[in-house]
Amino acid sequence: MKKLSLYLGCITPNRYPGIEKATKLCLDKLNIDWVDLKGASCCPAPGVFRSFDKTTWLTLASRNIILSEEMERDVLTICNGCYASLADANRELKEDHTLKKSINFHLDTIGKSFKGSVDVRHIIELFYDELGPQKITKMIQRPVNLNVALHYGCHLVKPSAERKLGSTENPTFFDELIEATGAKSIDYPDKMVCCGAGGGVRSALLDQSLAMLNHKLARIKEAGVDCIVNACPFCHLQFDSGQAEIKEKLGIEYNIPVLHYSQLLGLAFGYSPQELGIDLNLITNNEFFETLKKSD
Amino acid sequence: MDQTDAANVLKDVSSELLTCMQCGTCSGSCPSGRYTSMVTRKIVRMARVNKRVLKDINLWMCTTCYTCQERCPRQIKITDAILAIRTITVHDGCILPEHRRVSQLVLQYGHAVPINDAVKQKRKKLGMEALPETVHKYPDALLDVQTILKSCKFDELVAEGQEE
């Protein structure tokens, strides 16, 4: 595995720092060589900023990648949105010399230039490809006895022509990583459907965004799970903050805890929910914390 | 940008757009379409023949989940086309107020979602530094971000008072 730099994005460090802490704890436990990607900015978000102005999107994204190039490390993302922006920008600039030249014109104003010397990885595909579920199972210390509703999130697997991670309708690689922790991935209708946050919908059209979320939450509730697990802080925010907003606007209370995969894996490494910041979500379900205690 | 220019931009993104047979697989697959007024099939049709597409609020109800694009039997890059139409509308000065606000945050802080005091407290509670190792902690890095955004004229694109 190549050495990595950890790219945080916006929502992880600035809204759900527990995900950042859990990720760093897990990377250390797995003996992965990583450092902070210092001075990085917004990726910028693929749905909104890419559609506003492609040059701006590519320039800002490539600056983040260059910071990692300077350390000769691959970029590690823990967010589907950041992955979409950085991996797509990296690929487009590597493939299109003319495009690279036009973006380097802007980067020259800060004395930088994109070389195309590193790759962009998502923590889930990295764990699956470089370690694999069996190796993770061997390394964990406290198998987690939880029923999990897994949410892949759209940009981890789509567009498939770019991601090349197999089926977008019925993928299994992330489920295998869930089960590697001892948890059980429970199937539910519309599992692969969007959480409703992306593309600027959540920021500009909250009611429509929450209608989509409510559909998913209802299906997840029916499945009878202990928690939702994702690998995207924006989906995480939608599921967690969105439950509070749905309670306020629609009077429906789901009370389903939401965990990033790093936090689930952190539990399996023996860390407490408090050490992983799971108790810092808006939705804190005491029953869930009791379930975790019982499995000790 | 008029409709002819728009059509040319779209042809670059997805020349297959013209092969759409209006089967509706896109609309049937759309998670937004279940709960909003968005009808993807109509957007694809309007993009070819109808000027109103540029002002259509439904353009902004797409979460960019790519399901329509994955399932299109003609392999039309529908999501990419919607993104391209958005680019044309934004360059025409039509930006939703909330998106303008998020853009201003990136210009000011380098983050679309900047930190706040409550999260600084959460970070401390977790034994972490109040500020993350991002542009938030390194003023020179933020300056670099602002410089390249200016070079791309992003500040002008999203400036207040650009409404049509």
Side-chain angles (χ1 to χ4, degrees), chain A residues 10 13-15 20-21 39-40 42 51-53 106 154-155 158-160 169 190 194 198-200 203 215 280, chain B residues 34-36 63-65 67 70-71 86-87 91 99 103 110-111 113-114 119 122-123 126 133-135 138 151:
Chain A
C10 297
N14 300 337
R15 288 294 177 275
E20 177 181 337
K21 191 177 170 202
C42 179
S51 64
F52 278 19
D53 186 66
H106 294 291
C154 303
H155 295 146
K158 293 179 280 187
S160 59
E169 301 286 353
D190 286 335
C194 177
S203 64
H215 176 91
L280 298 178
Chain B
R34 282 189 193 180
Y35 292 100
T36 71
T63 64
T64 70
C65 80
T67 311
E70 292 292 332
R71 292 183 182 169
R86 283 183 177 186
T87 304
H91 282 258
H99 290 158
S103 303
H111 279 297
V113 182
V119 178
K122 285 185 181 181
R123 293 182 64 89
L126 285 164
E133 295 285 328
T134 66
V135 280
Y138 299 98
S151 174

Side-chain angles (χ1 to χ4, degrees), chain A residues 48-242:
Chain A
V48 176
F49 295 99
R50 168 159 38 182
S51 64
F52 278 19
D53 186 66
K54 198 171 171 188
T55 302
T56 303
W57 171 71
L58 283 170
T59 306
L60 203 50
S62 58
R63 177 186 167 274
N64 289 322
I65 297 165
I66 290 165
L67 296 176
S68 201
E69 284 184 346
E70 288 168 352
M71 295 189 284
E72 295 177 7
R73 288 171 178 267
D74 281 348
V75 183
L76 174 63
T77 60
I78 49 178
C79 167
N80 292 357
C82 300
Y83 182 52
S85 266
L86 298 180
D88 285 352
N90 199 38
R91 179 181 42 77
E92 285 196 37
L93 291 172
K94 277 184 183 183
E95 285 173 359
D96 189 336
H97 187 71
T98 315
L99 188 64
K100 184 171 100 174
K101 219 172 146 186
S102 71
I103 297 305
N104 276 338
F105 169 80
H106 294 291
L107 290 164
D108 190 49
T109 60
I110 55 169
K112 293 197 183 295
S113 77
F114 176 87
K115 295 185 178 54
S117 56
V118 300
D119 288 326
V120 177
R121 309 295 304 262
H122 185 287
I123 194 164
I124 295 302
E125 58 91 18
L126 179 98
F127 280 176
Y128 192 80
D129 281 353
E130 305 284 348
L131 300 172
Q134 280 94 3
K135 194 167 176 193
I136 289 176
T137 300
K138 275 186 201 150
M139 292 176 87
I140 61 163
Q141 287 137 5
R142 191 180 68 178
V144 184
N145 183 22
L146 289 174
N147 288 327
V148 165
L150 170 59
H151 176 74
Y152 274 77
C154 303
H155 295 146
L156 175 59
V157 291
K158 293 179 280 187
S160 59
E162 274 80 39
R163 298 292 174 273
K164 299 181 172 64
L165 289 171
S167 166
T168 63
E169 301 286 353
N170 194 20
T172 58
F173 63 94
F174 197 171
D175 299 80
E176 291 172 43
L177 289 177
I178 294 279
E179 305 222 332
T181 67
K184 197 164 187 285
S185 177
I186 305 293
D187 202 13
Y188 62 95
D190 286 335
K191 178 173 163 181
M192 292 309 293
V193 168
C194 177
C195 69
V201 179
R202 183 181 161 84
S203 64
L205 302 159
L206 185 61
D207 288 344
Q208 286 88 343
S209 176
L210 292 179
M212 287 180 244
L213 175 68
N214 191 39
H215 176 91
K216 278 222 73 149
L217 286 170
R219 303 290 83 74
I220 289 169
K221 192 79 185 174
E222 286 161 6
V225 296
D226 297 308
C227 62
I228 297 166
V229 174
N230 60 77
C232 173
F234 198 30
C235 302
H236 188 100
L237 179 139
Q238 171 81 334
F239 277 113
D240 184 51
S241 301

